[in-house]
Amino acid sequence: MVASEIAAVFFLFNALLRGSLVQSQGLQRGFYDSSCPDAEDIVRSTVEKYYNNDATIAPGLLRLHFHDCFVQGCDASVLISGASSERSAPQNFGLRGFEVIDDAKSQLESTCPGVVSCADILALAARDSVDLTGGPNWPVPLGRRDGRISSAADAKALPSPADPVSVQRQKFADQGLSDHDLVTLVGAHTIGQTDCAFVRYRLYNFTATGNADPSISPAFLPQLRALCPPNGDPARRVALDRDGAGAFDAAFFKNVRDGNAALESDQRLWGDDATQGVVQKYAGNIRGLFGLRFTYEFPKAMVSLGGVAVKTGRQGEIRRKCSRFN
């Protein structure tokens, strides 16, 4: 395929994408065009300000939106502060980006008081984070309202780094998401990081004989052990995309295929027939075309995620501060 043909395919994909993402679960594009026309620009400029100071905030914001949508739906319940709130659950330790959302909300309250929900700010910030790291940009359907429930006990719905594919599949299915969505959304790990605490158990005494997880490639194992020695800092950061954590691309899937995934849950996607097929599609051998396919599929999966159990119309509320109910 020549360059002109690839460009034409990309243009067609982009046009189809924009047409297909106009509405989702009662949400709509341009929801704030009349009530707060600068809303998306304010969120974008806020995310960009923090990203320019620390690029690792991008995967933090993406993860924050994901964790929000998996518990009580995409209603900003993860932002509520409190001893028993969702935010305090062990599954949410290490979440980042709250200050970015608070900053954007403060500006929006000054410009358009009581109009833009915290849940919509989360969805927009996730999109902008992907775009800033070289990934796709897409129109985000808006109109979410903020929830009035936030409980740490509900965070059990979140996937765990040690989950087998069967458990991952069920947790995604509980949100109305398919195997294809599962693999595609896990692709967000192309810009992610984790702690040695979630990797080290795979490196030493994973089996009864003291060996490492056999699914880790022999070439990658020494690198992980150097980063996460037996008595090292459990909070030391490890890239989820070997040698490419700063750029949003399909290289993550090549690493899963080749046994170079840092998280057990990611690596297990290669051992299941259904998820392996999606991983292989994205990993591919034709560099540009298969990378483009992931770039095309990821926004669709994000729109599906962003429509999980949303509250619209008269449901919920529009919080004045994202960290507390009105």
Side-chain angles (χ1 to χ4, degrees):
M1 182 176 287
V2 298
S4 60
E5 291 174 322
I6 293 175
V9 170
F10 178 79
F11 179 82
L12 176 61
F13 277 1
N14 194 48
L16 290 172
L17 176 65
R18 290 184 176 277
S20 67
L21 302 189
V22 173
Q23 292 186 328
S24 173
Q25 304 297 325
L27 308 176
Q28 64 184 58
R29 281 183 60 187
F31 183 82
Y32 297 112
D33 283 357
S34 298
S35 58
C36 191
D38 293 331
E40 294 197 36
D41 290 338
I42 288 171
V43 175
R44 168 70 185 215
S45 64
T46 305
V47 173
E48 193 165 2
K49 176 180 69 175
Y50 284 86
Y51 176 82
N52 289 338
N53 184 58
D54 177 11
T56 66
I57 199 64
L61 289 167
L62 187 53
R63 183 175 179 233
L64 196 57
H65 177 52
F66 181 93
H67 277 231
D68 178 47
C69 291
F70 256 70
V71 184
Q72 294 287 338
C74 307
D75 67 349
S77 54
V78 75
L79 302 179
I80 295 295
S81 296
S84 60
S85 71
E86 185 180 318
R87 181 170 171 173
S88 70
Q91 294 90 336
N92 286 324
F93 288 173
L95 282 183
R96 302 177 58 216
F98 296 100
E99 73 281 8
V100 183
I101 306 303
D102 288 342
D103 190 345
K105 178 61 172 175
S106 177
Q107 295 177 60
L108 287 164
E109 284 299 296
S110 295
T111 305
C112 317
V115 173
V116 182
S117 69
C118 301
D120 276 345
I121 297 172
L122 276 172
L124 289 168
R127 185 272 310 275
D128 294 338
S129 295
V130 172
D131 182 48
L132 286 167
T133 54
N137 195 327
W138 64 92
V140 177
L142 300 169
R144 299 166 188 80
R145 289 171 65 85
D146 301 322
R148 295 194 178 101
I149 297 172
S150 182
S151 170
D154 293 336
K156 62 182 180 296
L158 287 162
S160 161
D163 281 345
V165 174
S166 60
V167 175
Q168 295 182 64
R169 175 178 287 119
Q170 186 59 56
K171 288 180 177 179
F172 274 74
D174 289 344
Q175 310 303 328
L177 300 169
S178 66
D179 279 1
H180 189 275
D181 293 322
L182 161 60
V183 178
T184 305
L185 291 169
V186 168
H189 288 170
T190 182
I191 56 170
Q193 293 181 313
T194 190
D195 293 342
C196 277
F198 299 111
V199 176
R200 190 159 51 201
Y201 74 93
R202 301 183 66 204
L203 312 181
Y204 312 96
N205 203 30
F206 183 79
T207 66
T209 58
N211 296 324
D213 182 345
S215 68
I216 303 174
S217 76
F220 191 38
L221 181 59
Q223 293 184 29
L224 289 176
R225 283 178 167 171
L227 286 169
C228 304
N231 298 312
D233 181 2
R236 185 173 183 182
R237 306 297 282 166
V238 179
L240 294 175
D241 187 356
R242 180 190 185 192
D243 302 327
F248 197 98
D249 55 32
F252 168 79
F253 297 103
K254 296 178 175 65
N255 283 325
V256 172
R257 177 194 64 194
D258 298 338
N260 296 328
L263 291 181
E264 181 183 3
S265 57
D266 290 352
Q267 191 59 61
R268 296 295 173 257
L269 296 175
W270 187 249
D272 178 270
D273 288 344
T275 55
Q276 183 184 105
V278 186
V279 172
Q280 181 60 61
K281 180 180 73 172
Y282 291 145
N285 294 310
I286 305 173
R287 185 175 178 183
L289 182 60
F290 281 84
L292 177 64
R293 182 173 293 176
F294 172 58
T295 298
Y296 175 63
E297 295 292 338
F298 187 78
K300 294 196 296 181
M302 284 295 290
V303 170
S304 295
L305 172 69
V308 170
V310 292
K311 296 161 182 66
T312 58
R314 296 182 179 275
Q315 298 172 319
E317 63 184 14
I318 304 296
R319 287 184 214 142
R320 289 184 289 273
K321 285 195 68 173
C322 290
S323 61
R324 66 176 185 235
F325 303 123
N326 288 343

